[in-house]
Amino acid sequence: MGRPSRLGDEDRSDYASALDEVIASPEIRRLLERSGIPGDRLRVRGLAAVARTAAAADAEYRRYAALRLHAQGGRRDARTAPLSGPGDQERPGAGVLAVLGVLTPVLAAVAAATFLLLGYGLRLAGTLPALADTLVGVGWFSLVVAAVAALVSVVALYRTAARQSAADAPAVPDPSAAAESPALARAREAWLVALRDRGIRPFLLQELAEAAASAPDAGEGRGSRFSSPAFAGPDYSGPGFEGSQRPAPRQPGPGRP
């Protein structure tokens, strides 16, 4: 038999719920009252021992995880996927295209304004008419480029937003997956039952037994609490302790009744 399966992050809440159910059972509550151990402390110990307790129901968990993976089409749920690493980053070209889509209209508009100002300035000054005409022509061309680039950027932004909204929309359930949902629910319930009965409950009972056994001088404490009545009376006096005896009754003097 191989190593036990590691409990997935999506199953931690089920494990915590099963742990709370076992702690709330009459058997564990009765032992907690006898031992005086806080229930929160026992819960922390149970959460810390998840690898040990979950291994007792490893066969049921493997079956449940396999059915769940099959119901998801062989792919893990994207909502529970880990943070993206170096291999899960966005395509390199996407960032460059986005930067160009933003910078091209801005740079073209700045160039168009510069060329038009210089060209019309030279025309007003009446100097270098050929250069002035060239600058005006380049300025208008840059203005057209800026307008086209801005239009393309708006269309690209709209398509990206539409794609993102479609990706975030809830997917239509697969009929085959819906047909397998009862089997998946039964596998999950079988895993939880095995987890509670073979993993969590024996662990908690062992923790409570060890805590009761390690209590310092448990028998002596109980014996000292209940002492014998023969040694607890106020009139008891040991040999040689005359001061603790009752004083003798006084004799009536003369003239007294």
Side-chain angles (χ1 to χ4, degrees), residues 142 157 173 215:
S142 300
L157 182 63

Side-chain angles (χ1 to χ4, degrees), residues 187-209:
R188 177 176 176 271
E189 185 61 27
W191 167 60
L192 291 176
V193 170
L195 181 64
R196 289 192 295 262
D197 295 343
R198 299 203 306 260
I200 297 177
R201 180 173 282 106
F203 173 77
L204 297 183
L205 292 176
Q206 181 181 359
E207 288 291 318
L208 291 172

Side-chain angles (χ1 to χ4, degrees), residues 72-92:
Q72 294 173 355
R75 294 178 290 104
R76 294 188 179 274
D77 194 355
R79 293 172 296 179
T80 58
L83 295 177
S84 58
D88 297 328
Q89 300 294 330
E90 234 180 302
R91 293 192 303 271

Side-chain angles (χ1 to χ4, degrees), residues 5 57-69 183-188 190-191:
S5 301
D58 185 63
E60 289 80 4
Y61 180 70
R62 286 178 184 270
R63 183 173 180 273
Y64 168 56
L67 286 176
R68 181 174 58 189
L69 188 63
L184 185 63
R186 287 194 299 269
R188 177 176 176 271
W191 167 60

